[in-house]
């Protein structure tokens, strides 16, 4: 029997040793036996929500069964399963904390156990789209409340009193009439025998009795491990006999291996084998692109071996992709009519009849995610089974893809999710895990595939490149009466389907068709754009170029009509109302029902007003300083940002202060919201100042942090203030991880304009301020 | 055969003397607290302390550190309670955490050299360490806290 009485001991070296013998499934099972809740067959419950979310429409929906998520050991240790991936948002703490809150568990006696990939058992695990809290606040509360009810029922039976007379309080159940109390550990075995209560009949805690939720007092569960080097990321798990591999991949998307010469590579000390890795033709979805693998006794030897390879590639159809020419092409496309994706009134007539038309043309290049941890995965394929340890955002998807690729049933694949050293959307794609599985199968040993930074930048799934063009028509009084926005960008759909030239609904819905301004004549268009490299989700996705264009245009309009930026913004947002998107075929709305998550301009106005107030909008500026503002709704949250900059005589940009107000509905962990928003400002500044991936002859021209720089501490904003706008009590939770990014760059650019009179319309800023 | 001393423990290495110390630590002796993120001395994720100085293990060969005292995050403090580690926890610095061991080693080395750095000195000394999650404000505050106690 596989009993682990103290899962907390499974740390660091010990955990590394244990991990080989005990699969995650084993650990869960062991906990069940050691504790009270014996894991039953998976029960899938599609919940009736107090407010509706799109959670039930996600693959495999949600599971709200306490027997799947909670185990209580006889010593009282409560183990709560975290089924979403931790990439820095704090979700591995926040979701279990919700369960602990509802079940009255004492957080100091809670252990968090990471779930392996199994969506039938745990519900959807695809950690992206800023969805975790949004989709799981209620199910996690229900799980906790069910566990609490089962513990209370067990105690009531033991004492022979009605269940209504007992109450769970801080890790014990109390019968106050007789001052009797029993700890959770003492009740665990009996509680497990109680039926799981019906969700409809559950009594959730009154929010005013919350001990943890909304308080922000609890550090992340991995805090100590992280600071002592014991936290395990993708590359930190090793099995006996592990071989280390790096892969040379085709430098052009869709390219293929022609031939290779491994003679010199094989001479490198430590190199054991060089072999071809299977690749899939473009569009290759999340499958590997193929190449040549060098397998060695350690990663350093493998890298050195790869440097010594001589390879001839066939570049294929994308060998001519060149960024300067492509930019011209999409900018031209933005000047011509394209597929109409939203239409209200008659924009052509209104522009023709306008007193003044302001045109803004904006360009944003490809970006690489450069999560601090490059992709890495360990796979062990043996006897028709495969076990994987990898930092994947979607362990369920990984399991499915690995099984399909290896041609084995999903039940034979176990995907263990390590911590992710950042994800930002890159690790939604599991190509690196598939590579490890293919190599392990081929050589019959565990294989760890490590991507170098160069691999990450040159063979990733880049953020799209885009041209945005907005024409705004003003009447005599300066009121905006016409708005045409054309957005031209290769679609993520091109990674899945050949010849996808239009944006998918989920891309159109990120800042284009959901534009909230109150303007009589609105038209949004999406001219065609062909893709020549793999594109993928990048934190906040299409919201980055759209918010940049729309909010820069607000600044341009304010200047043209001599108005204050914030006043102009509020005027454009218009009256407090629910925006109607009747002319849009598929409004998408982040997958959420519009009734629960409408575009509510009152909330957008409110974050603007709050940030203006708290951020000191209109305060006197020293010479050379300027303030800029931008607001954007994304991932069904509302954000507004003010940036204060100064620009020196030689163009030196200093960000003195950032203020961001966020309304993300009901929230769980304000401390992590703050850290996400602080980080979003840095990522926003990185992409605004430096972010640019360019192509020549089909190849990415950058490779590391020297030619694809990101912000370092010496140029980070001097201070970032985060203002969380409390939402109405019944406001459903909304996204936090991504929405902080989009408004930053336009607020910065508007601030630079205020400081210098220079309007930047193409990112990155690069040397534009120097001239 | 090369003799290497890591966290006070003497070891022998009979492989490639040019092997970057990073991969020796991670893959050969299982000290995975030291991270790989750029391999080109551009990010600081692999920072370890050698003779009281922060160095980048990704560009340092094993043969370069013969007869030196190498300290990795695992050996920074016996119970993980170095002033810098404690400050990091108090300020809730990490997001994903991946860069943090390198940041902590860099900060520890800074405080050995300059026990009371001011904010400009902190920002300058820590500028070689990238945090893609953007925890800089908290890193700065944590270094300050570790050096001053407030
Ligand atoms: S990995 Fe060594 S400095 Fe980046
Ligand atoms: S905490 Fe994620 S890179 Fe620094």
């Amino acid at each position: 029997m596989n009993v682990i009485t103290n899962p907390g001991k499974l740390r660091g070296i010990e955990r590394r040793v244990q991990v080989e013998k005990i699969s995650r499934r084993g650990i869960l099972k062991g906990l069940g036996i050691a504790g009270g809740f014996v894991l039953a067959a998976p029960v899938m419950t599609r919940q009736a929500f107090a407010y509706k979310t799109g959670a039930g429409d996600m693959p495999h929906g949600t599971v709200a069964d306490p027997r799947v998520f909670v185990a209580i050991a006889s010593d009282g240790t409560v183990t709560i399963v975290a089924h979403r991936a931790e990439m820095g948002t704090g979700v591995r703490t926040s979701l279990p904390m919700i369960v602990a809150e509802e079940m009255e568990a004492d957080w100091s006696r809670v252990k968090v156990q990471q779930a392996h990939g199994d969506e039938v058992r745990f519900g959807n695990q695809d950690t992206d789209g800023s969805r975790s809290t949004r989709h799981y606040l209620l199910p996690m509360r229900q799980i906790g409340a069910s566990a609490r009810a089962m513990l209370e029922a067990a105690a009531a039976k033991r004492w022979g009193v009605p269940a209504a007379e007992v109450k769970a309080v801080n890790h014990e159940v109390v019968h106050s009439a007789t001052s009797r109390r029993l700890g959770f550990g003492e009740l665990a075995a009996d509680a497990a025998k109680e039926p799981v209560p019906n969700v409809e009949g559950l009594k959730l805690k009154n929010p005013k009795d919350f001990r943890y939720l909304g308080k922000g007092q609890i550090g992340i569960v991995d805090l100590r491990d992280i600071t002592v080097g014991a936290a395990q990321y993708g590359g930190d798990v090793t099995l006996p006999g592990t071989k280390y591999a790096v892969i040379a991949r085709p430098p052009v998307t869709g390219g293929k291996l022609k031939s290779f010469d491994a003679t010199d590579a094989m001479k490198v000390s430590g190199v054991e084998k060089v072999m071809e890795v299977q690749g899939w033709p473009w569009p290759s979805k999340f499958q590997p692109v193929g190449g040549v693998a060098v397998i060695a006794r350690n990663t350093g030897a493998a890298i050195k071996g790869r440097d010594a390879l001589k390879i001839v590639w066939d570049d294929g159809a994308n060998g001519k992709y060149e960024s300067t020419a492509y930019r011209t092409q999409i900018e031209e496309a933005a000047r011509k009519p394209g597929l109409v994706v939203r239409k209200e009134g008659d924009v052509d007539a209104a522009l023709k009849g306008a007193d003044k038309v302001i045109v803004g043309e904006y360009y944003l290049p490809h970006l690489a995610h450069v999560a601090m941890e490059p992709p890495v995965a360990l796979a062990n394929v043996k006897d028709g089974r495969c076990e994987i340890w990898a930092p994947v955002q979607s362990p369920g998807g990984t399991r499915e893809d690995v099984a399909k690729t290896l041609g084995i049933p999903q039940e034979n694949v176990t995907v263990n999710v390590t911590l992710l050293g950042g994800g930002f959307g890159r690790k939604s794609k599991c190509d690196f895990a598939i590579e490890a599985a293919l190599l392990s199968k081929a050589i019959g040993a565990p294989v760890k595939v490590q991507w170098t930074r160069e691999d990450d930048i040159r063979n990733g799934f880049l953020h799209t490149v885009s041209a945005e063009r907005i024409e705004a028509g003003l009447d005599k009084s300066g009121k905006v009466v016409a708005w045409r926005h054309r957005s031209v960008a290769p679609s993520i759909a091109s990674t899945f389907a050949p010849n996808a030239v239009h944006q998918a609904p989920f891309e159109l819905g990120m800042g284009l068709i959901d534009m909230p301004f109150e303007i009589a004549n609105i038209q949004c268009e999406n001219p065609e754009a062909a893709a020549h490299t793999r594109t993928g989700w990048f934190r906040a996705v299409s919201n980055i170029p759209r918010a940049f264009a729309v909010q820069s245009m607000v600044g341009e309009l304010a200047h043209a009509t001599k108005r204050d930026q914030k006043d102009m913004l509020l005027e454009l947002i218009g009256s407090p109302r629910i925006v109607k998107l009747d002319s849009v075929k598929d409004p998408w709305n982040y997958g959420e029902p519009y009734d629960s998550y409408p575009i509510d301009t009152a909330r957008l106005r409110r974050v603007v007003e709050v940030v203006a107030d708290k951020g000191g909008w209109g305060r006197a500026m020293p010479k050379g300083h300027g303030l800029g503002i931008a607001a954007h709704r994304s991932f069904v949250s509302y954000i507004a940002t003010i940036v204060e900059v100064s620009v020196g005589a030689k163009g030196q940009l200093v960000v003195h202060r950032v203020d961001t107000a966020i309304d993300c509905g009901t929230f769980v962990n304000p401390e992590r919201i703050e850290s996400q928003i602080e980080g979003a400002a840095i990522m926003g500044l990185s992409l605004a100042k430096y972010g640019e991936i360019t192509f020549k002859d089909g190849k990415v021209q950058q490779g590391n942090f020297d030619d694809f720089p990101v912000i370092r501490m010496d140029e980070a904003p001097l201070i970032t203030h985060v203002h969380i706008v409390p939402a109405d009590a019944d406001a459903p939770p909304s996204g936090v991880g991504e929405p902080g990014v989009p408004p930053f760059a336009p607020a910065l650019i508007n601030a630079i304009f205020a400081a210098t009179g220079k309007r930047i319309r193409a990112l990155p800023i690069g040397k534009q301020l120097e001239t | 055969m090369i003799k290497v001393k890591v966290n006070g423990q003497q070891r022998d290495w009979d492989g490639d003397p040019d092997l970057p110390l990073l991969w020796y630590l991670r893959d050969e002796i299982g000290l995975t607290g030291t991270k790989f993120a750029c391999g080109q001395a551009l990010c600081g994720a692999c920072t370890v302390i050698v003779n009281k100085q922060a160095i980048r293990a990704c560009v340092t060969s094993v043969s370069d550190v013969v007869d030196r005292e190498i300290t990795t995050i695992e050996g920074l403090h016996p119970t993980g309670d170095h002033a810098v580690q404690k400050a990091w926890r108090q300020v809730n610095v990490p997001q994903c955490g991946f860069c943090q061991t390198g940041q902590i080693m860099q900060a520890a080395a800074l405080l050995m050299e300059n026990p009371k750095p001011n904010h400009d000195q902190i920002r300058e000394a820590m500028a070689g360490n990238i945090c893609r999650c953007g925890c800089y404000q908290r890193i700065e505050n944590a270094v300050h806290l570790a050096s001053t106690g407030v």
Side-chain angles (χ1 to χ4, degrees):
Chain A
M1 191 169 69
N2 220 348
V3 176
I4 301 165
T5 43
N6 184 359
K9 269 174 61 193
L10 281 175
R11 298 201 177 272
I13 298 289
E14 207 179 334
R15 185 162 53 180
R16 188 162 45 238
V17 177
Q18 296 264 18
V19 99
E20 177 205 0
K21 298 195 299 239
I22 307 160
S23 71
R24 294 287 176 183
R25 201 173 305 170
I27 290 174
L28 288 170
K29 202 165 162 204
L31 285 168
I33 294 161
F37 292 148
V38 177
L39 293 169
V43 176
M44 189 170 29
T45 40
R46 283 183 199 280
Q47 301 301 330
F49 290 93
Y51 49 83
K52 272 188 79 97
T53 74
D57 297 333
M58 297 294 293
H60 299 110
T62 57
V63 170
D65 189 328
R67 294 169 299 180
V68 173
F69 283 89
V70 181
I72 307 174
S74 50
D75 70 352
T77 301
V78 170
T79 300
I80 303 176
V81 169
H83 72 304
R84 311 281 285 184
E86 179 59 85
M87 59 189 123
T89 62
V91 70
R92 203 169 112 84
T93 304
S94 306
L95 294 190
M97 192 170 87
I98 300 167
V99 176
E101 174 72 77
E102 271 296 345
M103 74 179 281
E104 276 293 322
D106 173 354
W107 186 251
S108 68
R109 299 175 72 185
V110 170
K111 302 278 176 241
V112 173
Q113 177 72 60
Q114 189 68 35
H116 55 86
D118 186 346
E119 296 198 345
V120 173
R121 182 190 287 267
F122 301 107
N124 185 274
Q125 295 180 273
D126 185 4
T127 315
D128 71 359
S130 298
R131 266 190 292 251
S132 293
T133 304
R134 184 162 112 221
H135 282 179
Y136 283 96
L137 174 57
L138 204 51
M140 290 294 145
R141 289 189 67 186
Q142 289 163 340
I143 288 167
S146 296
R148 167 165 45 81
M150 290 160 82
L151 287 157
E152 287 173 344
K157 257 185 213 160
R158 187 97 56 98
W159 292 322
V161 301
E165 286 183 16
V166 307
K167 197 171 161 26
V169 185
N170 199 31
H171 232 82
E172 37 182 37
V173 179
V174 182
H175 185 240
S176 49
T178 57
S179 302
R180 280 180 291 185
R181 44 190 69 225
L182 282 166
F184 280 7
E186 297 167 277
L187 289 166
D190 285 353
K193 294 183 203 126
E194 288 295 323
V196 176
N198 199 329
V199 165
E200 278 75 38
L202 282 175
K203 245 189 98 179
L204 299 183
K205 274 175 78 172
N206 186 331
K208 77 173 184 348
D209 298 327
F210 284 162
R211 301 157 299 151
Y212 309 128
L213 258 59
K215 306 280 192 261
Q217 303 295 327
I218 288 173
I220 53 172
V221 289
D222 300 297
L223 186 55
R224 189 175 178 91
D225 281 356
I226 288 170
T227 60
V228 301
Q232 284 199 317
Y233 298 87
D236 298 341
V237 185
T238 301
L239 301 173
T242 295
K243 301 295 177 195
Y244 298 81
V246 296
I247 299 172
R249 298 175 188 80
V252 178
T253 301
K256 281 199 298 274
L257 178 67
K258 253 194 189 152
S259 64
F260 68 96
D261 174 357
T263 319
D264 292 346
M266 285 303 293
K267 284 184 200 146
V268 171
S269 161
V271 170
E272 295 173 2
K273 195 175 171 69
V274 177
M275 60 178 283
E276 186 177 346
V277 200
Q278 190 186 349
W280 274 254
W282 197 59
S284 45
K285 299 178 184 150
F286 300 163
Q287 294 299 112
V289 294
V292 182
V294 178
I295 297 160
R297 69 171 282 175
N298 60 55
T299 314
I303 292 172
K304 201 169 169 184
R306 185 176 71 172
D307 289 344
L309 281 176
K310 293 186 187 72
I311 305 181
V312 184
W313 303 103
D314 172 359
D315 288 343
N318 293 319
K320 293 202 173 62
Y321 188 31
E322 203 272 321
S323 289
T324 315
Y326 192 78
R327 174 175 176 175
T328 310
Q329 190 184 320
I330 57 174
E331 283 177 341
E332 282 299 327
R335 292 179 193 126
K336 295 183 199 111
L339 180 69
V340 176
V341 290
R342 176 178 173 186
K343 183 178 166 64
E344 276 145 48
D346 184 343
V347 101
D348 286 316
L351 282 170
K352 220 171 266 165
D355 181 59
K356 201 176 193 180
V357 174
I358 312 262
V359 180
E361 295 191 332
Y362 309 97
Y363 173 78
L364 292 93
H366 283 299
L367 299 171
H369 305 78
V370 293
M372 214 61 209
E373 171 195 49
V376 57
L378 169 68
N380 189 19
V381 180
K382 214 174 145 187
D383 308 328
R385 309 189 69 86
C386 174
E387 185 155 15
I388 291 195
W389 288 262
V392 284
Q393 288 177 235
S394 179
T398 304
R399 189 186 192 207
E400 223 177 289
D401 287 356
V402 167
K404 229 183 278 166
T405 307
L406 296 182
I408 58 177
Q410 273 196 57
E411 296 72 58
N412 290 5
V413 178
T414 304
V415 176
N416 304 290
V417 189
T418 63
L419 290 177
L420 281 63
F424 312 124
R426 168 61 182 92
K427 291 169 185 165
S428 304
K429 300 91 172 174
C430 59
D431 52 335
F432 50 101
I434 301 175
E435 287 174 341
L438 287 170
L439 287 175
S440 174
K441 185 182 174 185
I443 70 165
V447 173
K448 194 185 290 184
V449 170
Q450 174 71 59
W451 286 46
T452 61
R453 179 59 59 198
E454 288 77 7
D455 300 340
D456 177 47
I457 290 180
R458 293 179 182 152
N459 288 104
F461 294 76
L462 299 175
H463 174 65
T464 197
V465 49
S466 80
E468 308 282 326
R469 185 173 198 271
I470 296 174
E471 294 158 80
L474 302 123
D475 69 10
K476 280 209 171 54
S477 69
K479 186 175 158 59
V480 178
V481 292
W483 179 277
R484 172 160 39 217
H485 183 169
R486 291 201 190 109
S487 180
V488 194
S491 170
I492 291 172
S494 65
T495 303
F496 301 92
N499 310 318
V501 289
H502 284 294
Q503 296 265 290
F506 70 83
E507 291 164 315
L508 297 171
M510 293 200 206
L512 185 63
I513 55 91
D514 51 337
M515 198 279 296
F517 296 164
E518 195 170 28
I519 298 170
N521 304 284
I522 296 177
Q523 187 155 312
C524 302
E525 300 172 28
N526 175 227
E528 294 184 0
H532 300 290
T533 187
R534 298 200 291 187
T535 49
W537 297 268
F538 175 104
R539 189 181 189 183
V541 202
S542 309
N543 286 294
I544 295 170
R546 271 53 167 290
F548 183 76
V550 171
Q551 297 295 313
S552 292
M553 183 45 107
V554 175
E556 305 220 29
L557 288 166
H559 176 67
T561 59
K562 301 197 172 44
R563 263 179 290 181
D564 175 79
Q565 279 177 54
K566 182 209 63 169
D567 295 345
M568 185 80 231
L569 177 56
L570 287 172
E571 185 186 308
L572 283 163
I573 295 170
S575 59
R577 69 196 190 286
I578 302 299
V579 174
K580 288 208 176 68
L581 295 174
D582 297 343
S583 75
V584 178
K585 205 160 69 186
D586 179 359
W588 185 57
N589 200 36
Y590 300 89
E592 304 302 336
Y594 205 70
D595 288 350
S596 316
Y597 291 95
I599 302 173
D600 182 345
T601 56
R603 291 175 72 181
L604 190 57
R605 291 184 67 92
R606 187 134 163 254
V607 288
V608 172
E609 281 154 2
V610 168
V611 82
D613 175 36
K614 306 264 189 202
W617 181 258
R619 64 183 182 264
M621 288 284 110
K623 203 174 153 346
H625 287 232
L627 284 178
I629 190 168
H632 188 69
R633 170 190 181 265
S634 66
F635 304 90
V636 289
S637 283
Y638 301 81
I639 317 262
T641 294
I642 292 175
V643 176
E644 178 188 342
V645 301
S646 68
V647 179
K650 293 203 183 88
Q652 316 92 306
L653 178 66
V654 178
V655 178
H656 295 268
R657 174 172 165 184
V658 179
D659 286 85
T660 292
I662 172 169
D663 171 358
C664 55
T666 300
F667 53 83
V668 170
N669 194 351
E671 190 274 331
R672 286 293 97 179
I673 296 173
E674 286 165 16
S675 68
Q676 283 300 294
I677 300 300
E678 288 162 16
I682 311 273
M683 190 168 274
L685 184 56
S686 287
L687 73 90
K689 196 168 173 182
Y690 297 123
E692 181 167 34
I693 294 291
T694 55
F695 283 81
K696 195 166 185 262
D697 299 327
K699 301 179 184 83
V700 170
Q701 291 179 287
Q702 293 73 25
N704 213 317
F705 292 119
D706 48 355
D707 47 17
F708 185 74
V710 295
I711 294 300
R712 295 165 180 275
M713 192 189 279
D714 57 348
E715 47 189 350
L718 294 175
I719 182 126
T720 296
H721 299 291
V722 182
H723 314 286
I724 302 175
V725 180
D728 293 343
D730 54 354
S734 51
V736 172
E738 295 166 270
V741 175
F744 185 87
L748 175 81
I749 277 349
N750 286 334
I752 291 172
F753 182 80
T756 64
K758 229 176 245 176
R759 171 62 59 184
I760 292 188
R761 298 190 178 88
L763 292 185
I765 298 165
K767 296 185 192 312
Q768 293 179 71
L769 292 173
E770 287 173 24
T771 52
Chain B
M1 189 78 81
I2 290 180
K3 289 210 179 304
V4 194
K5 198 170 175 195
V6 184
N7 298 334
Q9 202 184 327
Q10 196 72 52
R11 296 167 182 270
D12 296 327
W13 169 237
D14 59 0
D16 183 0
D18 292 338
L19 178 68
L21 177 62
L22 171 65
W23 300 114
Y24 174 73
L25 294 171
R26 289 186 55 82
D27 297 351
E28 295 291 345
I29 62 172
L31 292 176
T32 53
T34 307
K35 303 300 184 199
F36 166 70
C38 76
Q40 306 284 345
L42 296 165
C43 79
C46 63
T47 303
V48 297
I49 296 177
V50 174
N51 289 11
K52 297 197 170 172
Q53 286 221 310
I55 64 133
R56 306 297 189 227
C58 66
V59 293
T60 306
S61 302
V62 180
S63 59
D64 292 340
V65 290
V66 175
D67 298 330
R68 310 266 170 95
E69 294 276 343
I70 303 160
T71 306
T72 71
I73 185 75
E74 290 90 347
L76 182 62
H77 185 278
T79 57
D81 292 320
H82 186 281
V84 171
Q85 290 170 310
K86 286 206 289 205
W88 242 248
R89 296 193 285 264
Q90 222 173 309
V91 179
N92 283 319
V93 171
Q95 289 182 37
C96 82
F98 192 79
C99 72
Q100 301 298 347
T101 51
Q103 305 272 6
I104 288 169
M105 296 308 280
Q106 186 74 37
L110 165 66
L111 297 188
M112 278 181 215
E113 190 191 315
N114 178 1
K116 294 263 178 291
N118 63 29
H119 278 276
D120 285 342
Q121 289 167 331
I122 294 172
R123 287 168 75 90
E124 198 197 310
M126 300 301 295
N129 291 67
I130 293 174
C131 175
R132 179 60 164 158
C133 295
C135 304
Y136 297 127
Q137 184 166 317
R138 296 183 188 212
I139 292 171
E140 187 179 331
N141 291 340
V143 177
H144 186 77
L145 175 68
S147 73
T148 59
V150 287

